[in-house]
PDB file of all heavy atoms in Angstrom:
ATOM      1  N   MET N  15      69.736 144.739 160.068  1.00  0.00           N
ATOM      2  CA  MET N  15      68.842 144.876 161.197  1.00  0.00           C
ATOM      3  C   MET N  15      69.552 144.990 162.515  1.00  0.00           C
ATOM      4  O   MET N  15      69.022 145.645 163.452  1.00  0.00           O
ATOM      5  CB  MET N  15      67.959 143.568 161.285  1.00  0.00           C
ATOM      6  CG  MET N  15      67.095 143.340 160.023  1.00  0.00           C
ATOM      7  SD  MET N  15      65.827 144.616 159.776  1.00  0.00           S
ATOM      8  CE  MET N  15      64.686 144.210 161.172  1.00  0.00           C
ATOM      9  N   HIS N  16      70.792 144.495 162.583  1.00  0.00           N
ATOM     10  CA  HIS N  16      71.468 144.476 163.935  1.00  0.00           C
ATOM     11  C   HIS N  16      72.707 145.241 163.976  1.00  0.00           C
ATOM     12  O   HIS N  16      73.155 145.526 165.174  1.00  0.00           O
ATOM     13  CB  HIS N  16      71.641 143.019 164.310  1.00  0.00           C
ATOM     14  CG  HIS N  16      70.364 142.196 164.435  1.00  0.00           C
ATOM     15  ND1 HIS N  16      69.952 141.310 163.489  1.00  0.00           N
ATOM     16  CD2 HIS N  16      69.487 142.205 165.448  1.00  0.00           C
ATOM     17  CE1 HIS N  16      68.803 140.805 163.827  1.00  0.00           C
ATOM     18  NE2 HIS N  16      68.459 141.266 165.017  1.00  0.00           N
ATOM     19  N   ALA N  17      73.319 145.491 162.846  1.00  0.00           N
ATOM     20  CA  ALA N  17      74.623 146.208 162.942  1.00  0.00           C
ATOM     21  C   ALA N  17      74.357 147.702 162.946  1.00  0.00           C
ATOM     22  O   ALA N  17      73.247 148.197 162.807  1.00  0.00           O
ATOM     23  CB  ALA N  17      75.483 145.831 161.731  1.00  0.00           C
ATOM     24  N   THR N  18      75.441 148.493 163.045  1.00  0.00           N
ATOM     25  CA  THR N  18      75.377 149.982 163.036  1.00  0.00           C
ATOM     26  C   THR N  18      76.584 150.468 162.187  1.00  0.00           C
ATOM     27  O   THR N  18      77.442 149.711 161.823  1.00  0.00           O
ATOM     28  CB  THR N  18      75.478 150.569 164.427  1.00  0.00           C
ATOM     29  OG1 THR N  18      76.756 150.156 164.967  1.00  0.00           O
ATOM     30  CG2 THR N  18      74.345 150.131 165.322  1.00  0.00           C
ATOM     31  N   GLY N  19      76.505 151.754 161.873  1.00  0.00           N
ATOM     32  CA  GLY N  19      77.664 152.377 161.209  1.00  0.00           C
ATOM     33  C   GLY N  19      77.950 151.900 159.852  1.00  0.00           C
ATOM     34  O   GLY N  19      77.003 151.497 159.015  1.00  0.00           O
ATOM     35  N   GLU N  20      79.251 151.757 159.499  1.00  0.00           N
ATOM     36  CA  GLU N  20      79.672 151.427 158.195  1.00  0.00           C
ATOM     37  C   GLU N  20      79.224 149.964 157.790  1.00  0.00           C
ATOM     38  O   GLU N  20      78.836 149.804 156.605  1.00  0.00           O
ATOM     39  CB  GLU N  20      81.207 151.553 158.120  1.00  0.00           C
ATOM     40  CG  GLU N  20      81.769 151.287 156.680  1.00  0.00           C
ATOM     41  CD  GLU N  20      81.225 152.236 155.640  1.00  0.00           C
ATOM     42  OE1 GLU N  20      80.993 153.449 155.971  1.00  0.00           O
ATOM     43  OE2 GLU N  20      80.992 151.827 154.539  1.00  0.00           O
ATOM     44  N   ALA N  21      79.283 149.074 158.628  1.00  0.00           N
ATOM     45  CA  ALA N  21      78.832 147.727 158.434  1.00  0.00           C
ATOM     46  C   ALA N  21      77.371 147.726 157.946  1.00  0.00           C
ATOM     47  O   ALA N  21      76.983 147.013 156.970  1.00  0.00           O
ATOM     48  CB  ALA N  21      78.983 146.817 159.558  1.00  0.00           C
ATOM     49  N   ARG N  22      76.541 148.468 158.629  1.00  0.00           N
ATOM     50  CA  ARG N  22      75.111 148.505 158.232  1.00  0.00           C
ATOM     51  C   ARG N  22      74.951 149.152 156.851  1.00  0.00           C
ATOM     52  O   ARG N  22      74.192 148.611 156.016  1.00  0.00           O
ATOM     53  CB  ARG N  22      74.311 149.335 159.291  1.00  0.00           C
ATOM     54  CG  ARG N  22      72.803 149.270 159.087  1.00  0.00           C
ATOM     55  CD  ARG N  22      72.147 150.237 160.023  1.00  0.00           C
ATOM     56  NE  ARG N  22      70.715 150.023 160.086  1.00  0.00           N
ATOM     57  CZ  ARG N  22      69.878 150.776 160.676  1.00  0.00           C
ATOM     58  NH1 ARG N  22      70.327 151.960 161.252  1.00  0.00           N
ATOM     59  NH2 ARG N  22      68.597 150.470 160.738  1.00  0.00           N
ATOM     60  N   ARG N  23      75.614 150.201 156.586  1.00  0.00           N
ATOM     61  CA  ARG N  23      75.511 150.877 155.292  1.00  0.00           C
ATOM     62  C   ARG N  23      75.989 149.984 154.120  1.00  0.00           C
ATOM     63  O   ARG N  23      75.428 149.932 153.075  1.00  0.00           O
ATOM     64  CB  ARG N  23      76.262 152.238 155.361  1.00  0.00           C
ATOM     65  CG  ARG N  23      75.598 153.298 156.184  1.00  0.00           C
ATOM     66  CD  ARG N  23      76.271 154.682 155.962  1.00  0.00           C
ATOM     67  NE  ARG N  23      77.581 154.686 156.440  1.00  0.00           N
ATOM     68  CZ  ARG N  23      77.952 155.025 157.713  1.00  0.00           C
ATOM     69  NH1 ARG N  23      77.007 155.297 158.551  1.00  0.00           N
ATOM     70  NH2 ARG N  23      79.135 155.107 158.043  1.00  0.00           N
ATOM     71  N   ALA N  24      77.096 149.279 154.393  1.00  0.00           N
ATOM     72  CA  ALA N  24      77.670 148.372 153.389  1.00  0.00           C
ATOM     73  C   ALA N  24      76.739 147.259 153.044  1.00  0.00           C
ATOM     74  O   ALA N  24      76.589 146.859 151.905  1.00  0.00           O
ATOM     75  CB  ALA N  24      79.009 147.847 153.881  1.00  0.00           C
ATOM     76  N   ALA N  25      76.060 146.691 154.080  1.00  0.00           N
ATOM     77  CA  ALA N  25      75.117 145.635 153.815  1.00  0.00           C
ATOM     78  C   ALA N  25      73.824 146.087 153.133  1.00  0.00           C
ATOM     79  O   ALA N  25      73.194 145.362 152.321  1.00  0.00           O
ATOM     80  CB  ALA N  25      74.742 144.944 155.132  1.00  0.00           C
ATOM     81  N   LEU N  26      73.468 147.324 153.478  1.00  0.00           N
ATOM     82  CA  LEU N  26      72.151 147.879 152.927  1.00  0.00           C
ATOM     83  C   LEU N  26      72.337 148.193 151.436  1.00  0.00           C
ATOM     84  O   LEU N  26      71.340 147.964 150.626  1.00  0.00           O
ATOM     85  CB  LEU N  26      71.825 149.131 153.685  1.00  0.00           C
ATOM     86  CG  LEU N  26      70.524 149.782 153.360  1.00  0.00           C
ATOM     87  CD1 LEU N  26      69.372 148.849 153.771  1.00  0.00           C
ATOM     88  CD2 LEU N  26      70.360 151.063 154.098  1.00  0.00           C
ATOM     89  N   ALA N  27      73.463 148.575 151.004  1.00  0.00           N
ATOM     90  CA  ALA N  27      73.661 149.086 149.604  1.00  0.00           C
ATOM     91  C   ALA N  27      73.203 148.002 148.524  1.00  0.00           C
ATOM     92  O   ALA N  27      72.370 148.342 147.669  1.00  0.00           O
ATOM     93  CB  ALA N  27      75.058 149.501 149.355  1.00  0.00           C
ATOM     94  N   PRO N  28      73.738 146.833 148.556  1.00  0.00           N
ATOM     95  CA  PRO N  28      73.331 145.899 147.433  1.00  0.00           C
ATOM     96  C   PRO N  28      71.845 145.493 147.501  1.00  0.00           C
ATOM     97  O   PRO N  28      71.260 145.292 146.472  1.00  0.00           O
ATOM     98  CB  PRO N  28      74.242 144.672 147.666  1.00  0.00           C
ATOM     99  CG  PRO N  28      74.656 144.746 149.124  1.00  0.00           C
ATOM    100  CD  PRO N  28      74.668 146.177 149.447  1.00  0.00           C
ATOM    101  N   LEU N  29      71.298 145.523 148.695  1.00  0.00           N
ATOM    102  CA  LEU N  29      69.820 145.157 148.843  1.00  0.00           C
ATOM    103  C   LEU N  29      68.996 146.168 148.251  1.00  0.00           C
ATOM    104  O   LEU N  29      68.030 145.943 147.519  1.00  0.00           O
ATOM    105  CB  LEU N  29      69.524 144.940 150.277  1.00  0.00           C
ATOM    106  CG  LEU N  29      70.229 143.667 150.947  1.00  0.00           C
ATOM    107  CD1 LEU N  29      69.921 143.651 152.502  1.00  0.00           C
ATOM    108  CD2 LEU N  29      69.784 142.367 150.295  1.00  0.00           C
ATOM    109  N   VAL N  30      69.315 147.443 148.576  1.00  0.00           N
ATOM    110  CA  VAL N  30      68.473 148.539 148.018  1.00  0.00           C
ATOM    111  C   VAL N  30      68.600 148.662 146.538  1.00  0.00           C
ATOM    112  O   VAL N  30      67.590 148.893 145.794  1.00  0.00           O
ATOM    113  CB  VAL N  30      68.832 149.895 148.714  1.00  0.00           C
ATOM    114  CG1 VAL N  30      68.053 151.040 148.127  1.00  0.00           C
ATOM    115  CG2 VAL N  30      68.544 149.736 150.205  1.00  0.00           C
ATOM    116  N   ARG N  31      69.848 148.529 146.049  1.00  0.00           N
ATOM    117  CA  ARG N  31      70.018 148.617 144.562  1.00  0.00           C
ATOM    118  C   ARG N  31      69.316 147.471 143.855  1.00  0.00           C
ATOM    119  O   ARG N  31      68.954 147.646 142.667  1.00  0.00           O
ATOM    120  CB  ARG N  31      71.500 148.557 144.245  1.00  0.00           C
ATOM    121  CG  ARG N  31      72.345 149.780 144.712  1.00  0.00           C
ATOM    122  CD  ARG N  31      73.630 149.843 144.040  1.00  0.00           C
ATOM    123  NE  ARG N  31      74.415 150.960 144.528  1.00  0.00           N
ATOM    124  CZ  ARG N  31      75.410 150.923 145.444  1.00  0.00           C
ATOM    125  NH1 ARG N  31      75.743 149.733 145.918  1.00  0.00           N
ATOM    126  NH2 ARG N  31      76.016 152.012 145.871  1.00  0.00           N
ATOM    127  N   ALA N  32      69.136 146.380 144.533  1.00  0.00           N
ATOM    128  CA  ALA N  32      68.432 145.175 143.942  1.00  0.00           C
ATOM    129  C   ALA N  32      66.908 145.362 144.092  1.00  0.00           C
ATOM    130  O   ALA N  32      66.132 144.511 143.593  1.00  0.00           O
ATOM    131  CB  ALA N  32      68.899 143.889 144.545  1.00  0.00           C
ATOM    132  N   GLY N  33      66.438 146.345 144.900  1.00  0.00           N
ATOM    133  CA  GLY N  33      65.015 146.559 145.107  1.00  0.00           C
ATOM    134  C   GLY N  33      64.409 145.656 146.135  1.00  0.00           C
ATOM    135  O   GLY N  33      63.236 145.460 146.144  1.00  0.00           O
ATOM    136  N   HIS N  34      65.193 145.098 147.043  1.00  0.00           N
ATOM    137  CA  HIS N  34      64.690 144.254 148.139  1.00  0.00           C
ATOM    138  C   HIS N  34      63.678 145.093 148.959  1.00  0.00           C
ATOM    139  O   HIS N  34      64.018 146.119 149.545  1.00  0.00           O
ATOM    140  CB  HIS N  34      65.864 143.817 149.012  1.00  0.00           C
ATOM    141  CG  HIS N  34      65.453 142.694 149.965  1.00  0.00           C
ATOM    142  ND1 HIS N  34      64.734 142.895 151.054  1.00  0.00           N
ATOM    143  CD2 HIS N  34      65.747 141.344 149.965  1.00  0.00           C
ATOM    144  CE1 HIS N  34      64.573 141.783 151.746  1.00  0.00           C
ATOM    145  NE2 HIS N  34      65.137 140.828 151.066  1.00  0.00           N
ATOM    146  N   PRO N  35      62.479 144.585 149.038  1.00  0.00           N
ATOM    147  CA  PRO N  35      61.380 145.410 149.705  1.00  0.00           C
ATOM    148  C   PRO N  35      61.669 145.837 151.124  1.00  0.00           C
ATOM    149  O   PRO N  35      61.484 146.996 151.520  1.00  0.00           O
ATOM    150  CB  PRO N  35      60.158 144.505 149.628  1.00  0.00           C
ATOM    151  CG  PRO N  35      60.436 143.531 148.530  1.00  0.00           C
ATOM    152  CD  PRO N  35      61.966 143.293 148.545  1.00  0.00           C
ATOM    153  N   THR N  36      62.177 144.839 151.933  1.00  0.00           N
ATOM    154  CA  THR N  36      62.461 145.173 153.352  1.00  0.00           C
ATOM    155  C   THR N  36      63.600 146.190 153.461  1.00  0.00           C
ATOM    156  O   THR N  36      63.532 147.233 154.195  1.00  0.00           O
ATOM    157  CB  THR N  36      62.782 143.911 154.140  1.00  0.00           C
ATOM    158  OG1 THR N  36      61.703 143.030 153.987  1.00  0.00           O
ATOM    159  CG2 THR N  36      62.977 144.259 155.603  1.00  0.00           C
ATOM    160  N   ALA N  37      64.616 146.004 152.635  1.00  0.00           N
ATOM    161  CA  ALA N  37      65.779 146.912 152.681  1.00  0.00           C
ATOM    162  C   ALA N  37      65.396 148.295 152.217  1.00  0.00           C
ATOM    163  O   ALA N  37      65.836 149.311 152.751  1.00  0.00           O
ATOM    164  CB  ALA N  37      66.900 146.326 151.754  1.00  0.00           C
ATOM    165  N   VAL N  38      64.569 148.313 151.132  1.00  0.00           N
ATOM    166  CA  VAL N  38      64.029 149.584 150.668  1.00  0.00           C
ATOM    167  C   VAL N  38      63.274 150.374 151.752  1.00  0.00           C
ATOM    168  O   VAL N  38      63.427 151.543 152.002  1.00  0.00           O
ATOM    169  CB  VAL N  38      63.219 149.441 149.438  1.00  0.00           C
ATOM    170  CG1 VAL N  38      62.522 150.755 149.027  1.00  0.00           C
ATOM    171  CG2 VAL N  38      64.188 149.039 148.211  1.00  0.00           C
ATOM    172  N   ALA N  39      62.432 149.611 152.509  1.00  0.00           N
ATOM    173  CA  ALA N  39      61.645 150.230 153.544  1.00  0.00           C
ATOM    174  C   ALA N  39      62.562 150.761 154.652  1.00  0.00           C
ATOM    175  O   ALA N  39      62.317 151.833 155.197  1.00  0.00           O
ATOM    176  CB  ALA N  39      60.708 149.131 154.126  1.00  0.00           C
ATOM    177  N   ILE N  40      63.573 150.005 154.981  1.00  0.00           N
ATOM    178  CA  ILE N  40      64.577 150.544 155.968  1.00  0.00           C
ATOM    179  C   ILE N  40      65.253 151.776 155.453  1.00  0.00           C
ATOM    180  O   ILE N  40      65.431 152.740 156.204  1.00  0.00           O
ATOM    181  CB  ILE N  40      65.581 149.412 156.303  1.00  0.00           C
ATOM    182  CG1 ILE N  40      64.856 148.218 156.986  1.00  0.00           C
ATOM    183  CG2 ILE N  40      66.717 149.950 157.142  1.00  0.00           C
ATOM    184  CD1 ILE N  40      65.739 147.023 157.168  1.00  0.00           C
ATOM    185  N   ALA N  41      65.649 151.777 154.201  1.00  0.00           N
ATOM    186  CA  ALA N  41      66.333 152.917 153.667  1.00  0.00           C
ATOM    187  C   ALA N  41      65.418 154.123 153.661  1.00  0.00           C
ATOM    188  O   ALA N  41      65.840 155.267 153.893  1.00  0.00           O
ATOM    189  CB  ALA N  41      66.769 152.640 152.156  1.00  0.00           C
ATOM    190  N   VAL N  42      64.131 153.947 153.315  1.00  0.00           N
ATOM    191  CA  VAL N  42      63.190 155.013 153.327  1.00  0.00           C
ATOM    192  C   VAL N  42      63.023 155.571 154.765  1.00  0.00           C
ATOM    193  O   VAL N  42      62.946 156.762 155.012  1.00  0.00           O
ATOM    194  CB  VAL N  42      61.804 154.572 152.823  1.00  0.00           C
ATOM    195  CG1 VAL N  42      60.741 155.591 153.048  1.00  0.00           C
ATOM    196  CG2 VAL N  42      61.936 154.271 151.327  1.00  0.00           C
ATOM    197  N   GLU N  43      63.006 154.653 155.731  1.00  0.00           N
ATOM    198  CA  GLU N  43      62.948 155.079 157.165  1.00  0.00           C
ATOM    199  C   GLU N  43      64.159 155.952 157.515  1.00  0.00           C
ATOM    200  O   GLU N  43      64.069 156.980 158.156  1.00  0.00           O
ATOM    201  CB  GLU N  43      62.885 153.863 158.058  1.00  0.00           C
ATOM    202  CG  GLU N  43      62.834 154.101 159.521  1.00  0.00           C
ATOM    203  CD  GLU N  43      61.468 154.711 160.003  1.00  0.00           C
ATOM    204  OE1 GLU N  43      60.502 154.631 159.191  1.00  0.00           O
ATOM    205  OE2 GLU N  43      61.402 155.223 161.080  1.00  0.00           O
ATOM    206  N   LEU N  44      65.327 155.563 157.072  1.00  0.00           N
ATOM    207  CA  LEU N  44      66.560 156.294 157.320  1.00  0.00           C
ATOM    208  C   LEU N  44      66.520 157.665 156.597  1.00  0.00           C
ATOM    209  O   LEU N  44      66.970 158.627 157.158  1.00  0.00           O
ATOM    210  CB  LEU N  44      67.762 155.500 156.874  1.00  0.00           C
ATOM    211  CG  LEU N  44      68.182 154.272 157.684  1.00  0.00           C
ATOM    212  CD1 LEU N  44      69.263 153.489 156.989  1.00  0.00           C
ATOM    213  CD2 LEU N  44      68.484 154.648 159.086  1.00  0.00           C
ATOM    214  N   LEU N  45      65.940 157.673 155.423  1.00  0.00           N
ATOM    215  CA  LEU N  45      65.798 158.932 154.697  1.00  0.00           C
ATOM    216  C   LEU N  45      64.981 159.889 155.530  1.00  0.00           C
ATOM    217  O   LEU N  45      65.222 161.099 155.565  1.00  0.00           O
ATOM    218  CB  LEU N  45      65.186 158.666 153.304  1.00  0.00           C
ATOM    219  CG  LEU N  45      64.861 159.870 152.506  1.00  0.00           C
ATOM    220  CD1 LEU N  45      66.152 160.563 151.966  1.00  0.00           C
ATOM    221  CD2 LEU N  45      64.052 159.484 151.262  1.00  0.00           C
ATOM    222  N   GLU N  46      63.944 159.380 156.135  1.00  0.00           N
ATOM    223  CA  GLU N  46      62.979 160.219 156.890  1.00  0.00           C
ATOM    224  C   GLU N  46      63.514 160.593 158.267  1.00  0.00           C
ATOM    225  O   GLU N  46      63.330 161.781 158.698  1.00  0.00           O
ATOM    226  CB  GLU N  46      61.606 159.468 157.085  1.00  0.00           C
ATOM    227  CG  GLU N  46      60.954 159.122 155.781  1.00  0.00           C
ATOM    228  CD  GLU N  46      60.307 160.298 155.148  1.00  0.00           C
ATOM    229  OE1 GLU N  46      60.205 161.373 155.743  1.00  0.00           O
ATOM    230  OE2 GLU N  46      59.951 160.184 153.937  1.00  0.00           O
ATOM    231  N   ARG N  47      64.201 159.661 158.955  1.00  0.00           N
ATOM    232  CA  ARG N  47      64.520 159.939 160.332  1.00  0.00           C
ATOM    233  C   ARG N  47      65.982 159.683 160.773  1.00  0.00           C
ATOM    234  O   ARG N  47      66.349 159.823 161.882  1.00  0.00           O
ATOM    235  CB  ARG N  47      63.652 159.036 161.223  1.00  0.00           C
ATOM    236  CG  ARG N  47      62.163 159.322 161.133  1.00  0.00           C
ATOM    237  CD  ARG N  47      61.278 158.460 162.028  1.00  0.00           C
ATOM    238  NE  ARG N  47      59.915 158.794 161.986  1.00  0.00           N
ATOM    239  CZ  ARG N  47      59.097 158.386 161.062  1.00  0.00           C
ATOM    240  NH1 ARG N  47      59.510 157.571 160.104  1.00  0.00           N
ATOM    241  NH2 ARG N  47      57.809 158.803 161.064  1.00  0.00           N
ATOM    242  N   GLY N  48      66.735 159.242 159.746  1.00  0.00           N
ATOM    243  CA  GLY N  48      68.199 158.954 160.092  1.00  0.00           C
ATOM    244  C   GLY N  48      69.025 160.280 160.293  1.00  0.00           C
ATOM    245  O   GLY N  48      68.544 161.373 160.030  1.00  0.00           O
ATOM    246  N   GLY N  49      70.276 160.045 160.656  1.00  0.00           N
ATOM    247  CA  GLY N  49      71.212 161.147 160.843  1.00  0.00           C
ATOM    248  C   GLY N  49      71.685 161.681 159.432  1.00  0.00           C
ATOM    249  O   GLY N  49      71.358 161.089 158.381  1.00  0.00           O
ATOM    250  N   ARG N  50      72.400 162.727 159.492  1.00  0.00           N
ATOM    251  CA  ARG N  50      72.820 163.412 158.247  1.00  0.00           C
ATOM    252  C   ARG N  50      73.603 162.441 157.338  1.00  0.00           C
ATOM    253  O   ARG N  50      73.344 162.363 156.135  1.00  0.00           O
ATOM    254  CB  ARG N  50      73.696 164.624 158.592  1.00  0.00           C
ATOM    255  CG  ARG N  50      74.131 165.406 157.398  1.00  0.00           C
ATOM    256  CD  ARG N  50      75.061 166.611 157.965  1.00  0.00           C
ATOM    257  NE  ARG N  50      75.500 167.361 156.799  1.00  0.00           N
ATOM    258  CZ  ARG N  50      74.781 168.466 156.383  1.00  0.00           C
ATOM    259  NH1 ARG N  50      73.687 168.849 156.967  1.00  0.00           N
ATOM    260  NH2 ARG N  50      75.279 169.211 155.325  1.00  0.00           N
ATOM    261  N   LEU N  51      74.574 161.698 157.952  1.00  0.00           N
ATOM    262  CA  LEU N  51      75.387 160.755 157.073  1.00  0.00           C
ATOM    263  C   LEU N  51      74.523 159.664 156.511  1.00  0.00           C
ATOM    264  O   LEU N  51      74.654 159.297 155.338  1.00  0.00           O
ATOM    265  CB  LEU N  51      76.502 160.196 157.935  1.00  0.00           C
ATOM    266  CG  LEU N  51      77.446 159.203 157.241  1.00  0.00           C
ATOM    267  CD1 LEU N  51      78.081 159.814 156.014  1.00  0.00           C
ATOM    268  CD2 LEU N  51      78.527 158.686 158.196  1.00  0.00           C
ATOM    269  N   GLU N  52      73.610 159.153 157.380  1.00  0.00           N
ATOM    270  CA  GLU N  52      72.777 158.070 156.789  1.00  0.00           C
ATOM    271  C   GLU N  52      71.842 158.551 155.692  1.00  0.00           C
ATOM    272  O   GLU N  52      71.662 157.852 154.689  1.00  0.00           O
ATOM    273  CB  GLU N  52      71.939 157.526 158.034  1.00  0.00           C
ATOM    274  CG  GLU N  52      72.801 156.694 158.920  1.00  0.00           C
ATOM    275  CD  GLU N  52      71.947 156.179 160.176  1.00  0.00           C
ATOM    276  OE1 GLU N  52      71.137 156.983 160.680  1.00  0.00           O
ATOM    277  OE2 GLU N  52      72.160 155.039 160.518  1.00  0.00           O
ATOM    278  N   ARG N  53      71.311 159.765 155.890  1.00  0.00           N
ATOM    279  CA  ARG N  53      70.451 160.283 154.827  1.00  0.00           C
ATOM    280  C   ARG N  53      71.174 160.483 153.572  1.00  0.00           C
ATOM    281  O   ARG N  53      70.705 160.145 152.456  1.00  0.00           O
ATOM    282  CB  ARG N  53      69.823 161.616 155.280  1.00  0.00           C
ATOM    283  CG  ARG N  53      68.750 161.472 156.381  1.00  0.00           C
ATOM    284  CD  ARG N  53      67.888 162.712 156.481  1.00  0.00           C
ATOM    285  NE  ARG N  53      68.729 163.932 156.652  1.00  0.00           N
ATOM    286  CZ  ARG N  53      69.020 164.454 157.835  1.00  0.00           C
ATOM    287  NH1 ARG N  53      68.656 163.846 158.970  1.00  0.00           N
ATOM    288  NH2 ARG N  53      69.703 165.544 157.895  1.00  0.00           N
ATOM    289  N   SER N  54      72.420 161.023 153.618  1.00  0.00           N
ATOM    290  CA  SER N  54      73.163 161.252 152.469  1.00  0.00           C
ATOM    291  C   SER N  54      73.515 159.943 151.724  1.00  0.00           C
ATOM    292  O   SER N  54      73.535 159.858 150.529  1.00  0.00           O
ATOM    293  CB  SER N  54      74.542 161.906 152.792  1.00  0.00           C
ATOM    294  OG  SER N  54      74.240 163.227 153.309  1.00  0.00           O
ATOM    295  N   THR N  55      73.747 158.923 152.512  1.00  0.00           N
ATOM    296  CA  THR N  55      74.101 157.523 151.900  1.00  0.00           C
ATOM    297  C   THR N  55      72.923 156.937 151.223  1.00  0.00           C
ATOM    298  O   THR N  55      72.972 156.526 150.074  1.00  0.00           O
ATOM    299  CB  THR N  55      74.593 156.607 153.038  1.00  0.00           C
ATOM    300  OG1 THR N  55      75.714 157.157 153.641  1.00  0.00           O
ATOM    301  CG2 THR N  55      74.861 155.289 152.395  1.00  0.00           C
ATOM    302  N   VAL N  56      71.697 156.988 151.885  1.00  0.00           N
ATOM    303  CA  VAL N  56      70.581 156.284 151.316  1.00  0.00           C
ATOM    304  C   VAL N  56      69.950 157.075 150.158  1.00  0.00           C
ATOM    305  O   VAL N  56      69.187 156.518 149.302  1.00  0.00           O
ATOM    306  CB  VAL N  56      69.465 156.024 152.323  1.00  0.00           C
ATOM    307  CG1 VAL N  56      70.013 155.090 153.423  1.00  0.00           C
ATOM    308  CG2 VAL N  56      68.933 157.224 152.998  1.00  0.00           C
ATOM    309  N   ILE N  57      70.216 158.335 150.024  1.00  0.00           N
ATOM    310  CA  ILE N  57      69.664 159.144 148.865  1.00  0.00           C
ATOM    311  C   ILE N  57      70.146 158.580 147.562  1.00  0.00           C
ATOM    312  O   ILE N  57      69.347 158.274 146.649  1.00  0.00           O
ATOM    313  CB  ILE N  57      70.060 160.633 148.975  1.00  0.00           C
ATOM    314  CG1 ILE N  57      69.196 161.314 150.025  1.00  0.00           C
ATOM    315  CG2 ILE N  57      69.864 161.368 147.617  1.00  0.00           C
ATOM    316  CD1 ILE N  57      69.611 162.742 150.368  1.00  0.00           C
ATOM    317  N   ASP N  58      71.430 158.318 147.454  1.00  0.00           N
ATOM    318  CA  ASP N  58      71.962 157.812 146.234  1.00  0.00           C
ATOM    319  C   ASP N  58      71.530 156.282 145.977  1.00  0.00           C
ATOM    320  O   ASP N  58      71.236 155.866 144.917  1.00  0.00           O
ATOM    321  CB  ASP N  58      73.542 157.823 146.182  1.00  0.00           C
ATOM    322  CG  ASP N  58      74.004 159.241 145.991  1.00  0.00           C
ATOM    323  OD1 ASP N  58      73.272 160.069 145.366  1.00  0.00           O
ATOM    324  OD2 ASP N  58      75.083 159.608 146.547  1.00  0.00           O
ATOM    325  N   LEU N  59      71.396 155.536 147.117  1.00  0.00           N
ATOM    326  CA  LEU N  59      71.017 154.169 147.042  1.00  0.00           C
ATOM    327  C   LEU N  59      69.542 154.103 146.470  1.00  0.00           C
ATOM    328  O   LEU N  59      69.188 153.299 145.612  1.00  0.00           O
ATOM    329  CB  LEU N  59      71.086 153.476 148.386  1.00  0.00           C
ATOM    330  CG  LEU N  59      72.492 153.229 148.930  1.00  0.00           C
ATOM    331  CD1 LEU N  59      72.362 152.568 150.283  1.00  0.00           C
ATOM    332  CD2 LEU N  59      73.344 152.444 147.925  1.00  0.00           C
ATOM    333  N   LEU N  60      68.674 154.949 147.055  1.00  0.00           N
ATOM    334  CA  LEU N  60      67.249 154.894 146.653  1.00  0.00           C
ATOM    335  C   LEU N  60      67.094 155.406 145.221  1.00  0.00           C
ATOM    336  O   LEU N  60      66.281 154.907 144.524  1.00  0.00           O
ATOM    337  CB  LEU N  60      66.459 155.761 147.618  1.00  0.00           C
ATOM    338  CG  LEU N  60      66.242 155.196 149.045  1.00  0.00           C
ATOM    339  CD1 LEU N  60      65.730 156.257 149.994  1.00  0.00           C
ATOM    340  CD2 LEU N  60      65.382 153.974 149.014  1.00  0.00           C
ATOM    341  N   ALA N  61      67.922 156.363 144.848  1.00  0.00           N
ATOM    342  CA  ALA N  61      67.799 156.872 143.460  1.00  0.00           C
ATOM    343  C   ALA N  61      68.134 155.785 142.461  1.00  0.00           C
ATOM    344  O   ALA N  61      67.596 155.722 141.297  1.00  0.00           O
ATOM    345  CB  ALA N  61      68.713 158.074 143.289  1.00  0.00           C
ATOM    346  N   ALA N  62      69.101 154.925 142.823  1.00  0.00           N
ATOM    347  CA  ALA N  62      69.526 153.816 141.915  1.00  0.00           C
ATOM    348  C   ALA N  62      68.622 152.571 141.997  1.00  0.00           C
ATOM    349  O   ALA N  62      68.791 151.641 141.278  1.00  0.00           O
ATOM    350  CB  ALA N  62      70.977 153.476 142.201  1.00  0.00           C
TER     351      ALA N  62
END
């Protein structure tokens, strides 16, 4: 919620893979409106 860049992506990964509802919602938001690197990162996370 508060970090940016690599730290944010690293924290998001285990939560999305575990299906955490809030984390998944954030990942979906990044998929829709995030930058190119963020979209590329969350695509694989959401798929898993």
